Amino acid sequence: PFRTVINSNPRFGMMVVHTSAAELYDRLWCVYEVNASADSKVMCFGAMSMKYFQDVMGKQLIHKHSSEEICRCDTEEAKCWSKDDERMIKSTIEGGIGYKILNEKILNFRIGACEAQANALE
């Protein structure tokens, strides 16, 4: 179903919702979907709960962490509930761009989403 949605080139793009309740990029489908939307030229936007955004800003302003430190993730460690889905997605990543490039793409997306959120609140 996801590929069907991406292939339909949704007019308003795809919204990726970050919350403090769970780490989005620990979920392999989320990692895969952000990458697939970018590859398909579907606009991908990040939205954040206020708690998530406050946590990010606190790490930057109070603890002096860089955006890279805050937004970095290891996509190779991401998991799926379905082991069949996990094997399929990992096989696609490993046979394609690999985890290093995927990590960089996710990092850049996350940094961009944080910057957009901060700019919206100015």
Side-chain angles (χ1 to χ4, degrees):
F2 171 72
R3 185 50 71 181
T4 302
V5 171
I6 289 298
N7 289 341
S8 74
N9 194 17
R11 186 170 106 184
F12 297 107
M14 183 175 86
M15 183 67 63
V16 179
V17 180
H18 301 81
T19 72
S20 59
E23 175 51 59
L24 184 71
Y25 301 102
D26 285 346
R27 299 180 60 204
L28 192 55
W29 267 111
C30 295
V31 170
Y32 180 74
E33 290 168 354
V34 169
N35 182 60
S37 67
D39 287 350
S40 298
K41 307 295 186 241
V42 171
M43 290 296 298
C44 195
F45 304 94
M48 296 168 204
S49 70
M50 190 52 70
K51 172 82 171 93
Y52 181 92
F53 183 67
Q54 288 171 333
D55 290 348
V56 168
M57 291 291 93
K59 289 175 184 174
Q60 278 189 321
L61 300 174
I62 297 168
H63 302 292
K64 305 299 183 198
H65 292 274
S66 69
S67 295
E68 290 81 10
E69 289 173 303
I70 297 165
C71 295
R72 185 177 299 124
C73 68
D74 184 356
T75 58
E76 192 169 5
E77 296 298 316
K79 303 287 183 214
C80 283
W81 173 83
S82 164
K83 293 302 174 193
D84 290 338
D85 285 357
E86 189 169 319
R87 280 189 291 275
M88 181 272 300
I89 294 171
K90 286 187 177 263
S91 174
T92 301
I93 294 167
E94 291 163 3
I97 65 171
Y99 294 106
K100 182 178 180 184
I101 293 172
L102 182 58
N103 287 342
E104 290 176 22
K105 288 176 80 171
I106 297 298
L107 174 66
N108 291 333
F109 173 74
R110 290 180 85 177
I111 290 172
C114 288
E115 289 172 353
Q117 182 92 13
N119 291 338
L121 295 173
E122 287 184 348

